[in-house]
Amino acid sequence: FSEANHAVGFMSLYDGETWFHNADEYFKVASVYKLPLNMYFYELENAGELAPDAIVGGVRLEQAHLYSLEFSNNEISERMLDYLGGYAQYKRDILKYIGGAAEDVTEEYYYDNAFTAEMVLNILSYLNAHSDEFEEQLEHMLAAQPDQYLKSGELGAPIAQKYGYERYDGVLHVAVAGIVYAEEPFLLTILTRGSYAAVDAMGELCDAFAEWEAGRAAALRAEAEALEAERLAEEARERERAELEGIVRDCVGAALSASPLPAGLPWPRLNGALFE
């Protein structure tokens, strides 16, 4: 990788921490466009507008999902685009998935197979936040491309990924987007151009982010636990002070009620001073 030939988006599922490299630069994402495409069709199914056995692009929709997500079949995926009214219409349909990045879209977004890392990360965030609505899609993504892309490293954790690999004007573009179910889960997208080692490098980056996130989350938990312990200790000290003040007040009250007080002394003020 060089400084300019890749973009990265990371989001912690522990606390929402995000990290980007080249967040707003458009990259051609090859078959990663099929990730939000299938999400949109699943939402049509969930809304009752399409049935899983509806014919889309010449096959049942449930088969279209399988071929598009697990095997990245281009012909069926393009027919799914045609069903929606073409590529530009598809890009309009999925605006809600890209979150705040929708405010800054350009013509390149609508008429090219291009996304930014921020857009793709927001798509993953939507998918994860609504995972109960996309259970079948996540199963397909978990099965896709074992031992390649984000799964090419040594992490060994389940990863729901959508990948893309294609040449545009002779330049190789490799992209991936995934939910990494590591000990500390996170979202990760990597978009590249002109890097022939990208597929293996994606696995190495995934492993590195997993190690970093595990250490970061552990440190945050330790800090939170220390703060909670201090809060509980302060509450205990406050209770102890209150109990002691109650005992002193009871003793002083008993003494004042049992003994005649010498005249001329400011007893209310002296009594109050005991508890300042």
Side-chain angles (χ1 to χ4, degrees):
F1 292 146
S2 69
E3 189 72 17
N5 75 348
H6 72 289
V8 179
F10 164 91
M11 178 185 290
S12 165
L13 296 182
Y14 173 66
D15 64 351
E17 175 79 10
T18 58
W19 183 89
F20 287 102
H21 175 74
N22 287 336
D24 302 322
E25 184 172 350
Y26 280 93
F27 280 76
K28 297 182 188 299
V29 300
S31 290
V32 170
Y33 83 86
K34 298 165 188 173
L35 167 61
L37 173 66
N38 280 271
M39 289 168 61
Y40 188 75
F41 272 95
Y42 274 114
E43 290 205 317
L44 291 178
E45 292 175 59
N46 294 338
E49 297 181 34
L50 281 175
D53 60 355
I55 301 301
V56 175
V59 300
R60 295 195 311 274
L61 184 52
E62 57 192 1
Q63 291 179 307
H65 287 309
L66 168 67
Y67 288 118
S68 179
L69 288 167
E70 288 194 38
F71 304 110
S72 208
N73 183 282
N74 289 328
E75 183 179 357
I76 289 176
S77 299
E78 288 165 7
R79 291 176 184 171
M80 294 170 75
L81 288 174
D82 292 340
Y83 184 92
L84 297 178
Y87 193 79
Q89 181 58 49
Y90 147 74
K91 280 295 194 73
R92 285 189 286 271
D93 290 337
I94 66 167
L95 279 171
K96 71 174 184 178
Y97 301 149
I98 67 174
E103 299 174 3
D104 303 315
V105 296
T106 66
E107 289 299 301
E108 186 176 6
Y109 169 81
Y110 287 107
Y111 298 105
D112 198 357
N113 186 20
F115 290 82
T116 68
E118 181 184 6
M119 291 175 182
V120 180
L121 194 68
N122 287 344
I123 292 168
L124 286 171
S125 181
Y126 187 100
L127 175 65
N128 180 71
H130 300 83
S131 58
D132 57 332
E133 301 173 22
F134 299 108
E135 292 180 358
E136 185 177 282
Q137 172 155 355
L138 289 168
E139 289 175 5
H140 288 313
M141 293 171 65
L142 284 165
Q145 295 298 103
D147 303 321
Q148 294 189 50
Y149 299 93
L150 296 180
K151 301 176 183 178
S152 66
E154 300 178 357
L155 182 60
I159 301 174
Q161 67 176 359
K162 186 70 201 82
Y163 57 92
Y165 187 105
E166 191 168 342
R167 296 178 189 276
Y168 296 88
D169 298 324
V171 178
L172 178 64
H173 289 70
V174 184
V176 72
I179 303 175
V180 182
Y181 299 102
E183 179 182 352
E184 295 296 341
F186 58 92
L187 312 178
L188 182 63
T189 183
I190 304 169
L191 315 178
T192 75
R193 57 172 168 254
S195 174
Y196 290 86
V199 173
D200 291 333
M202 286 171 174
E204 295 175 15
L205 276 174
C206 184
D207 289 356
F209 272 111
E211 181 178 357
W212 175 72
E213 175 62 1
R216 192 187 70 87
L220 289 173
R221 283 196 177 91
E223 181 182 0
E225 289 170 1
L227 290 173
E228 178 64 9
E230 176 58 28
R231 185 187 68 80
L232 293 174
E234 180 60 27
E235 287 182 355
R237 289 191 289 269
E238 287 293 334
R239 286 195 299 270
E240 184 177 350
R241 281 194 291 269
E243 290 172 2
L244 288 173
E245 287 180 2
I247 292 171
V248 172
R249 288 183 186 276
D250 290 344
C251 292
V252 170
L256 293 176
S257 63
S259 305
L261 300 176
L265 291 177
W267 291 109
R269 189 172 54 176
L270 292 173
N271 185 30
L274 290 171
F275 307 104
E276 291 181 356

mmCIF file with all atom_site columns, all heavy atoms in Angstrom, residues 176-196:
data_model
loop_
_atom_site.group_PDB
_atom_site.id
_atom_site.type_symbol
_atom_site.label_atom_id
_atom_site.label_alt_id
_atom_site.label_comp_id
_atom_site.label_asym_id
_atom_site.label_entity_id
_atom_site.label_seq_id
_atom_site.pdbx_PDB_ins_code
_atom_site.Cartn_x
_atom_site.Cartn_y
_atom_site.Cartn_z
_atom_site.occupancy
_atom_site.B_iso_or_equiv
_atom_site.pdbx_formal_charge
_atom_site.auth_seq_id
_atom_site.auth_comp_id
_atom_site.auth_asym_id
_atom_site.auth_atom_id
_atom_site.pdbx_PDB_model_num
ATOM 1   N N   . VAL A 1 176 ? -13.130 -4.863  0.123   1.00 0.00 ? 176 VAL A N   1
ATOM 2   C CA  . VAL A 1 176 ? -13.814 -5.790  1.027   1.00 0.00 ? 176 VAL A CA  1
ATOM 3   C C   . VAL A 1 176 ? -14.515 -4.993  2.114   1.00 0.00 ? 176 VAL A C   1
ATOM 4   O O   . VAL A 1 176 ? -14.081 -3.884  2.476   1.00 0.00 ? 176 VAL A O   1
ATOM 5   C CB  . VAL A 1 176 ? -12.821 -6.803  1.645   1.00 0.00 ? 176 VAL A CB  1
ATOM 6   C CG1 . VAL A 1 176 ? -11.906 -6.127  2.673   1.00 0.00 ? 176 VAL A CG1 1
ATOM 7   C CG2 . VAL A 1 176 ? -13.547 -7.978  2.278   1.00 0.00 ? 176 VAL A CG2 1
ATOM 8   N N   . ALA A 1 177 ? -15.605 -5.546  2.612   1.00 0.00 ? 177 ALA A N   1
ATOM 9   C CA  . ALA A 1 177 ? -16.332 -4.953  3.737   1.00 0.00 ? 177 ALA A CA  1
ATOM 10  C C   . ALA A 1 177 ? -16.803 -6.099  4.611   1.00 0.00 ? 177 ALA A C   1
ATOM 11  O O   . ALA A 1 177 ? -17.356 -7.082  4.102   1.00 0.00 ? 177 ALA A O   1
ATOM 12  C CB  . ALA A 1 177 ? -17.522 -4.133  3.237   1.00 0.00 ? 177 ALA A CB  1
ATOM 13  N N   . GLY A 1 178 ? -16.599 -5.997  5.918   1.00 0.00 ? 178 GLY A N   1
ATOM 14  C CA  . GLY A 1 178 ? -16.971 -7.126  6.747   1.00 0.00 ? 178 GLY A CA  1
ATOM 15  C C   . GLY A 1 178 ? -17.256 -6.777  8.195   1.00 0.00 ? 178 GLY A C   1
ATOM 16  O O   . GLY A 1 178 ? -16.803 -5.751  8.710   1.00 0.00 ? 178 GLY A O   1
ATOM 17  N N   . ILE A 1 179 ? -18.037 -7.663  8.819   1.00 0.00 ? 179 ILE A N   1
ATOM 18  C CA  . ILE A 1 179 ? -18.249 -7.631  10.265  1.00 0.00 ? 179 ILE A CA  1
ATOM 19  C C   . ILE A 1 179 ? -17.387 -8.738  10.846  1.00 0.00 ? 179 ILE A C   1
ATOM 20  O O   . ILE A 1 179 ? -17.555 -9.915  10.510  1.00 0.00 ? 179 ILE A O   1
ATOM 21  C CB  . ILE A 1 179 ? -19.728 -7.860  10.621  1.00 0.00 ? 179 ILE A CB  1
ATOM 22  C CG1 . ILE A 1 179 ? -20.611 -6.824  9.934   1.00 0.00 ? 179 ILE A CG1 1
ATOM 23  C CG2 . ILE A 1 179 ? -19.929 -7.801  12.136  1.00 0.00 ? 179 ILE A CG2 1
ATOM 24  C CD1 . ILE A 1 179 ? -22.109 -7.063  10.140  1.00 0.00 ? 179 ILE A CD1 1
ATOM 25  N N   . VAL A 1 180 ? -16.454 -8.367  11.691  1.00 0.00 ? 180 VAL A N   1
ATOM 26  C CA  . VAL A 1 180 ? -15.488 -9.317  12.242  1.00 0.00 ? 180 VAL A CA  1
ATOM 27  C C   . VAL A 1 180 ? -15.924 -9.681  13.660  1.00 0.00 ? 180 VAL A C   1
ATOM 28  O O   . VAL A 1 180 ? -15.886 -8.849  14.571  1.00 0.00 ? 180 VAL A O   1
ATOM 29  C CB  . VAL A 1 180 ? -14.070 -8.710  12.249  1.00 0.00 ? 180 VAL A CB  1
ATOM 30  C CG1 . VAL A 1 180 ? -13.064 -9.736  12.776  1.00 0.00 ? 180 VAL A CG1 1
ATOM 31  C CG2 . VAL A 1 180 ? -13.685 -8.256  10.845  1.00 0.00 ? 180 VAL A CG2 1
ATOM 32  N N   . TYR A 1 181 ? -16.334 -10.935 13.836  1.00 0.00 ? 181 TYR A N   1
ATOM 33  C CA  . TYR A 1 181 ? -16.845 -11.381 15.136  1.00 0.00 ? 181 TYR A CA  1
ATOM 34  C C   . TYR A 1 181 ? -15.696 -11.936 15.988  1.00 0.00 ? 181 TYR A C   1
ATOM 35  O O   . TYR A 1 181 ? -15.701 -13.095 16.414  1.00 0.00 ? 181 TYR A O   1
ATOM 36  C CB  . TYR A 1 181 ? -17.932 -12.424 14.939  1.00 0.00 ? 181 TYR A CB  1
ATOM 37  C CG  . TYR A 1 181 ? -19.126 -11.908 14.177  1.00 0.00 ? 181 TYR A CG  1
ATOM 38  C CD1 . TYR A 1 181 ? -19.300 -12.214 12.821  1.00 0.00 ? 181 TYR A CD1 1
ATOM 39  C CD2 . TYR A 1 181 ? -20.082 -11.114 14.790  1.00 0.00 ? 181 TYR A CD2 1
ATOM 40  C CE1 . TYR A 1 181 ? -20.397 -11.742 12.113  1.00 0.00 ? 181 TYR A CE1 1
ATOM 41  C CE2 . TYR A 1 181 ? -21.180 -10.630 14.085  1.00 0.00 ? 181 TYR A CE2 1
ATOM 42  C CZ  . TYR A 1 181 ? -21.329 -10.949 12.753  1.00 0.00 ? 181 TYR A CZ  1
ATOM 43  O OH  . TYR A 1 181 ? -22.417 -10.476 12.046  1.00 0.00 ? 181 TYR A OH  1
ATOM 44  N N   . ALA A 1 182 ? -14.721 -11.083 16.226  1.00 0.00 ? 182 ALA A N   1
ATOM 45  C CA  . ALA A 1 182 ? -13.579 -11.441 17.064  1.00 0.00 ? 182 ALA A CA  1
ATOM 46  C C   . ALA A 1 182 ? -13.978 -11.354 18.538  1.00 0.00 ? 182 ALA A C   1
ATOM 47  O O   . ALA A 1 182 ? -15.126 -11.075 18.874  1.00 0.00 ? 182 ALA A O   1
ATOM 48  C CB  . ALA A 1 182 ? -12.408 -10.507 16.767  1.00 0.00 ? 182 ALA A CB  1
ATOM 49  N N   . GLU A 1 183 ? -13.018 -11.590 19.418  1.00 0.00 ? 183 GLU A N   1
ATOM 50  C CA  . GLU A 1 183 ? -13.281 -11.454 20.857  1.00 0.00 ? 183 GLU A CA  1
ATOM 51  C C   . GLU A 1 183 ? -13.875 -10.097 21.164  1.00 0.00 ? 183 GLU A C   1
ATOM 52  O O   . GLU A 1 183 ? -14.788 -9.957  21.970  1.00 0.00 ? 183 GLU A O   1
ATOM 53  C CB  . GLU A 1 183 ? -11.977 -11.656 21.635  1.00 0.00 ? 183 GLU A CB  1
ATOM 54  C CG  . GLU A 1 183 ? -12.119 -11.505 23.133  1.00 0.00 ? 183 GLU A CG  1
ATOM 55  C CD  . GLU A 1 183 ? -10.807 -11.666 23.862  1.00 0.00 ? 183 GLU A CD  1
ATOM 56  O OE1 . GLU A 1 183 ? -9.807  -12.042 23.219  1.00 0.00 ? 183 GLU A OE1 1
ATOM 57  O OE2 . GLU A 1 183 ? -10.773 -11.406 25.080  1.00 0.00 ? 183 GLU A OE2 1
ATOM 58  N N   . GLU A 1 184 ? -13.363 -9.074  20.491  1.00 0.00 ? 184 GLU A N   1
ATOM 59  C CA  . GLU A 1 184 ? -13.948 -7.737  20.505  1.00 0.00 ? 184 GLU A CA  1
ATOM 60  C C   . GLU A 1 184 ? -14.385 -7.440  19.079  1.00 0.00 ? 184 GLU A C   1
ATOM 61  O O   . GLU A 1 184 ? -13.579 -7.082  18.235  1.00 0.00 ? 184 GLU A O   1
ATOM 62  C CB  . GLU A 1 184 ? -12.945 -6.694  21.000  1.00 0.00 ? 184 GLU A CB  1
ATOM 63  C CG  . GLU A 1 184 ? -12.511 -6.849  22.446  1.00 0.00 ? 184 GLU A CG  1
ATOM 64  C CD  . GLU A 1 184 ? -13.665 -6.649  23.417  1.00 0.00 ? 184 GLU A CD  1
ATOM 65  O OE1 . GLU A 1 184 ? -14.684 -6.044  23.014  1.00 0.00 ? 184 GLU A OE1 1
ATOM 66  O OE2 . GLU A 1 184 ? -13.560 -7.092  24.566  1.00 0.00 ? 184 GLU A OE2 1
ATOM 67  N N   . PRO A 1 185 ? -15.661 -7.588  18.745  1.00 0.00 ? 185 PRO A N   1
ATOM 68  C CA  . PRO A 1 185 ? -16.117 -7.454  17.354  1.00 0.00 ? 185 PRO A CA  1
ATOM 69  C C   . PRO A 1 185 ? -15.929 -6.031  16.814  1.00 0.00 ? 185 PRO A C   1
ATOM 70  O O   . PRO A 1 185 ? -15.958 -5.055  17.565  1.00 0.00 ? 185 PRO A O   1
ATOM 71  C CB  . PRO A 1 185 ? -17.601 -7.815  17.441  1.00 0.00 ? 185 PRO A CB  1
ATOM 72  C CG  . PRO A 1 185 ? -17.753 -8.577  18.715  1.00 0.00 ? 185 PRO A CG  1
ATOM 73  C CD  . PRO A 1 185 ? -16.743 -7.992  19.654  1.00 0.00 ? 185 PRO A CD  1
ATOM 74  N N   . PHE A 1 186 ? -15.774 -5.943  15.503  1.00 0.00 ? 186 PHE A N   1
ATOM 75  C CA  . PHE A 1 186 ? -15.623 -4.639  14.859  1.00 0.00 ? 186 PHE A CA  1
ATOM 76  C C   . PHE A 1 186 ? -16.036 -4.728  13.402  1.00 0.00 ? 186 PHE A C   1
ATOM 77  O O   . PHE A 1 186 ? -16.189 -5.818  12.837  1.00 0.00 ? 186 PHE A O   1
ATOM 78  C CB  . PHE A 1 186 ? -14.181 -4.126  14.977  1.00 0.00 ? 186 PHE A CB  1
ATOM 79  C CG  . PHE A 1 186 ? -13.122 -5.038  14.403  1.00 0.00 ? 186 PHE A CG  1
ATOM 80  C CD1 . PHE A 1 186 ? -12.687 -4.900  13.091  1.00 0.00 ? 186 PHE A CD1 1
ATOM 81  C CD2 . PHE A 1 186 ? -12.537 -6.028  15.194  1.00 0.00 ? 186 PHE A CD2 1
ATOM 82  C CE1 . PHE A 1 186 ? -11.700 -5.724  12.567  1.00 0.00 ? 186 PHE A CE1 1
ATOM 83  C CE2 . PHE A 1 186 ? -11.557 -6.869  14.681  1.00 0.00 ? 186 PHE A CE2 1
ATOM 84  C CZ  . PHE A 1 186 ? -11.135 -6.718  13.365  1.00 0.00 ? 186 PHE A CZ  1
ATOM 85  N N   . LEU A 1 187 ? -16.234 -3.561  12.800  1.00 0.00 ? 187 LEU A N   1
ATOM 86  C CA  . LEU A 1 187 ? -16.534 -3.435  11.378  1.00 0.00 ? 187 LEU A CA  1
ATOM 87  C C   . LEU A 1 187 ? -15.272 -2.961  10.665  1.00 0.00 ? 187 LEU A C   1
ATOM 88  O O   . LEU A 1 187 ? -14.537 -2.123  11.199  1.00 0.00 ? 187 LEU A O   1
ATOM 89  C CB  . LEU A 1 187 ? -17.657 -2.418  11.148  1.00 0.00 ? 187 LEU A CB  1
ATOM 90  C CG  . LEU A 1 187 ? -18.908 -2.542  12.026  1.00 0.00 ? 187 LEU A CG  1
ATOM 91  C CD1 . LEU A 1 187 ? -19.887 -1.417  11.681  1.00 0.00 ? 187 LEU A CD1 1
ATOM 92  C CD2 . LEU A 1 187 ? -19.550 -3.899  11.865  1.00 0.00 ? 187 LEU A CD2 1
ATOM 93  N N   . LEU A 1 188 ? -15.051 -3.467  9.460   1.00 0.00 ? 188 LEU A N   1
ATOM 94  C CA  . LEU A 1 188 ? -13.842 -3.087  8.737   1.00 0.00 ? 188 LEU A CA  1
ATOM 95  C C   . LEU A 1 188 ? -14.107 -3.090  7.238   1.00 0.00 ? 188 LEU A C   1
ATOM 96  O O   . LEU A 1 188 ? -14.684 -4.031  6.699   1.00 0.00 ? 188 LEU A O   1
ATOM 97  C CB  . LEU A 1 188 ? -12.714 -4.069  9.060   1.00 0.00 ? 188 LEU A CB  1
ATOM 98  C CG  . LEU A 1 188 ? -11.352 -3.785  8.416   1.00 0.00 ? 188 LEU A CG  1
ATOM 99  C CD1 . LEU A 1 188 ? -10.788 -2.447  8.894   1.00 0.00 ? 188 LEU A CD1 1
ATOM 100 C CD2 . LEU A 1 188 ? -10.363 -4.911  8.731   1.00 0.00 ? 188 LEU A CD2 1
ATOM 101 N N   . THR A 1 189 ? -13.682 -2.011  6.579   1.00 0.00 ? 189 THR A N   1
ATOM 102 C CA  . THR A 1 189 ? -13.685 -1.981  5.117   1.00 0.00 ? 189 THR A CA  1
ATOM 103 C C   . THR A 1 189 ? -12.323 -1.524  4.633   1.00 0.00 ? 189 THR A C   1
ATOM 104 O O   . THR A 1 189 ? -11.688 -0.644  5.244   1.00 0.00 ? 189 THR A O   1
ATOM 105 C CB  . THR A 1 189 ? -14.787 -1.063  4.558   1.00 0.00 ? 189 THR A CB  1
ATOM 106 O OG1 . THR A 1 189 ? -14.769 -1.136  3.125   1.00 0.00 ? 189 THR A OG1 1
ATOM 107 C CG2 . THR A 1 189 ? -14.610 0.385   4.981   1.00 0.00 ? 189 THR A CG2 1
ATOM 108 N N   . ILE A 1 190 ? -11.861 -2.147  3.558   1.00 0.00 ? 190 ILE A N   1
ATOM 109 C CA  . ILE A 1 190 ? -10.582 -1.792  2.937   1.00 0.00 ? 190 ILE A CA  1
ATOM 110 C C   . ILE A 1 190 ? -10.820 -1.697  1.431   1.00 0.00 ? 190 ILE A C   1
ATOM 111 O O   . ILE A 1 190 ? -11.302 -2.649  0.807   1.00 0.00 ? 190 ILE A O   1
ATOM 112 C CB  . ILE A 1 190 ? -9.500  -2.853  3.233   1.00 0.00 ? 190 ILE A CB  1
ATOM 113 C CG1 . ILE A 1 190 ? -9.346  -3.064  4.749   1.00 0.00 ? 190 ILE A CG1 1
ATOM 114 C CG2 . ILE A 1 190 ? -8.168  -2.427  2.620   1.00 0.00 ? 190 ILE A CG2 1
ATOM 115 C CD1 . ILE A 1 190 ? -8.502  -4.273  5.104   1.00 0.00 ? 190 ILE A CD1 1
ATOM 116 N N   . LEU A 1 191 ? -10.519 -0.550  0.852   1.00 0.00 ? 191 LEU A N   1
ATOM 117 C CA  . LEU A 1 191 ? -10.700 -0.306  -0.578  1.00 0.00 ? 191 LEU A CA  1
ATOM 118 C C   . LEU A 1 191 ? -9.328  -0.015  -1.179  1.00 0.00 ? 191 LEU A C   1
ATOM 119 O O   . LEU A 1 191 ? -8.585  0.820   -0.650  1.00 0.00 ? 191 LEU A O   1
ATOM 120 C CB  . LEU A 1 191 ? -11.633 0.888   -0.804  1.00 0.00 ? 191 LEU A CB  1
ATOM 121 C CG  . LEU A 1 191 ? -12.921 0.929   0.048   1.00 0.00 ? 191 LEU A CG  1
ATOM 122 C CD1 . LEU A 1 191 ? -13.699 2.206   -0.263  1.00 0.00 ? 191 LEU A CD1 1
ATOM 123 C CD2 . LEU A 1 191 ? -13.773 -0.302  -0.191  1.00 0.00 ? 191 LEU A CD2 1
ATOM 124 N N   . THR A 1 192 ? -8.984  -0.683  -2.281  1.00 0.00 ? 192 THR A N   1
ATOM 125 C CA  . THR A 1 192 ? -7.648  -0.511  -2.845  1.00 0.00 ? 192 THR A CA  1
ATOM 126 C C   . THR A 1 192 ? -7.702  -0.365  -4.357  1.00 0.00 ? 192 THR A C   1
ATOM 127 O O   . THR A 1 192 ? -8.665  -0.792  -5.006  1.00 0.00 ? 192 THR A O   1
ATOM 128 C CB  . THR A 1 192 ? -6.729  -1.712  -2.513  1.00 0.00 ? 192 THR A CB  1
ATOM 129 O OG1 . THR A 1 192 ? -7.100  -2.842  -3.330  1.00 0.00 ? 192 THR A OG1 1
ATOM 130 C CG2 . THR A 1 192 ? -6.830  -2.095  -1.047  1.00 0.00 ? 192 THR A CG2 1
ATOM 131 N N   . ARG A 1 193 ? -6.642  0.207   -4.920  1.00 0.00 ? 193 ARG A N   1
ATOM 132 C CA  . ARG A 1 193 ? -6.454  0.224   -6.375  1.00 0.00 ? 193 ARG A CA  1
ATOM 133 C C   . ARG A 1 193 ? -4.966  0.071   -6.674  1.00 0.00 ? 193 ARG A C   1
ATOM 134 O O   . ARG A 1 193 ? -4.112  0.675   -6.008  1.00 0.00 ? 193 ARG A O   1
ATOM 135 C CB  . ARG A 1 193 ? -7.000  1.515   -6.990  1.00 0.00 ? 193 ARG A CB  1
ATOM 136 C CG  . ARG A 1 193 ? -6.442  2.787   -6.449  1.00 0.00 ? 193 ARG A CG  1
ATOM 137 C CD  . ARG A 1 193 ? -6.903  4.003   -7.272  1.00 0.00 ? 193 ARG A CD  1
ATOM 138 N NE  . ARG A 1 193 ? -6.564  5.231   -6.548  1.00 0.00 ? 193 ARG A NE  1
ATOM 139 C CZ  . ARG A 1 193 ? -7.459  5.984   -5.920  1.00 0.00 ? 193 ARG A CZ  1
ATOM 140 N NH1 . ARG A 1 193 ? -8.733  5.663   -5.928  1.00 0.00 ? 193 ARG A NH1 1
ATOM 141 N NH2 . ARG A 1 193 ? -7.073  7.083   -5.291  1.00 0.00 ? 193 ARG A NH2 1
ATOM 142 N N   . GLY A 1 194 ? -4.666  -0.772  -7.648  1.00 0.00 ? 194 GLY A N   1
ATOM 143 C CA  . GLY A 1 194 ? -3.290  -0.955  -8.081  1.00 0.00 ? 194 GLY A CA  1
ATOM 144 C C   . GLY A 1 194 ? -2.425  -1.721  -7.109  1.00 0.00 ? 194 GLY A C   1
ATOM 145 O O   . GLY A 1 194 ? -1.197  -1.647  -7.198  1.00 0.00 ? 194 GLY A O   1
ATOM 146 N N   . SER A 1 195 ? -3.010  -2.483  -6.211  1.00 0.00 ? 195 SER A N   1
ATOM 147 C CA  . SER A 1 195 ? -2.236  -3.270  -5.255  1.00 0.00 ? 195 SER A CA  1
ATOM 148 C C   . SER A 1 195 ? -2.490  -4.749  -5.506  1.00 0.00 ? 195 SER A C   1
ATOM 149 O O   . SER A 1 195 ? -3.593  -5.243  -5.264  1.00 0.00 ? 195 SER A O   1
ATOM 150 C CB  . SER A 1 195 ? -2.613  -2.915  -3.812  1.00 0.00 ? 195 SER A CB  1
ATOM 151 O OG  . SER A 1 195 ? -1.960  -3.778  -2.905  1.00 0.00 ? 195 SER A OG  1
ATOM 152 N N   . TYR A 1 196 ? -1.460  -5.466  -5.962  1.00 0.00 ? 196 TYR A N   1
ATOM 153 C CA  . TYR A 1 196 ? -1.638  -6.871  -6.313  1.00 0.00 ? 196 TYR A CA  1
ATOM 154 C C   . TYR A 1 196 ? -1.473  -7.787  -5.106  1.00 0.00 ? 196 TYR A C   1
ATOM 155 O O   . TYR A 1 196 ? -1.723  -8.991  -5.192  1.00 0.00 ? 196 TYR A O   1
ATOM 156 C CB  . TYR A 1 196 ? -0.668  -7.255  -7.431  1.00 0.00 ? 196 TYR A CB  1
ATOM 157 C CG  . TYR A 1 196 ? -1.054  -6.608  -8.733  1.00 0.00 ? 196 TYR A CG  1
ATOM 158 C CD1 . TYR A 1 196 ? -0.619  -5.315  -9.048  1.00 0.00 ? 196 TYR A CD1 1
ATOM 159 C CD2 . TYR A 1 196 ? -1.892  -7.250  -9.627  1.00 0.00 ? 196 TYR A CD2 1
ATOM 160 C CE1 . TYR A 1 196 ? -1.007  -4.706  -10.234 1.00 0.00 ? 196 TYR A CE1 1
ATOM 161 C CE2 . TYR A 1 196 ? -2.280  -6.648  -10.819 1.00 0.00 ? 196 TYR A CE2 1
ATOM 162 C CZ  . TYR A 1 196 ? -1.835  -5.379  -11.108 1.00 0.00 ? 196 TYR A CZ  1
ATOM 163 O OH  . TYR A 1 196 ? -2.237  -4.767  -12.279 1.00 0.00 ? 196 TYR A OH  1
#
